[in-house]
Amino acid sequence: MSKIEFPSKALFMCDGSKCGKHKEIKKYFKTTIKENHLKKEVEIFKMECSDRCKNAPILYSQSENKWFDKVDLEQAKTIMAKLIS
């Protein structure tokens, strides 16, 4: 039987109607993970609507056990830097 590998860190991004409009944030994370060869270490998961649309986009970092709201590109860069440090 083969061993299943799981990443040590994960980002959960709300994919509800308002959060899903912020595709540049998800694209940034995906590009950075790929460029830094971190696919085995960091994985992005879509989560269903978290019903916090006023604070979109919503992000949860599994490694930090922390929720983020109104994530912009600068905040995404800070979150990613903490993940890969």
Side-chain angles (χ1 to χ4, degrees), residues 19-52:
C19 291
K21 292 179 183 177
H22 300 276
K23 293 181 177 161
E24 73 279 2
I25 304 297
K26 186 174 183 178
K27 184 177 179 180
Y28 167 76
F29 283 121
K30 289 179 95 173
T31 302
T32 304
I33 289 167
K34 185 176 182 180
E35 288 175 353
N36 290 284
H37 310 286
L38 297 170
K39 284 189 168 199
K40 291 184 178 183
E41 295 176 43
V42 181
E43 192 167 346
I44 299 172
F45 296 93
K46 285 191 254 181
M47 63 180 170
E48 295 296 320
C49 180
S50 63
D51 201 25
R52 293 172 176 91

Side-chain angles (χ1 to χ4, degrees), residues 12-16 45-50 58-60 67:
F12 293 83
M13 298 187 70
C14 183
D15 199 37
F45 296 93
K46 285 191 254 181
M47 63 180 170
E48 295 296 320
C49 180
S50 63
I58 300 294
L59 179 85
Y60 173 72
W67 288 92

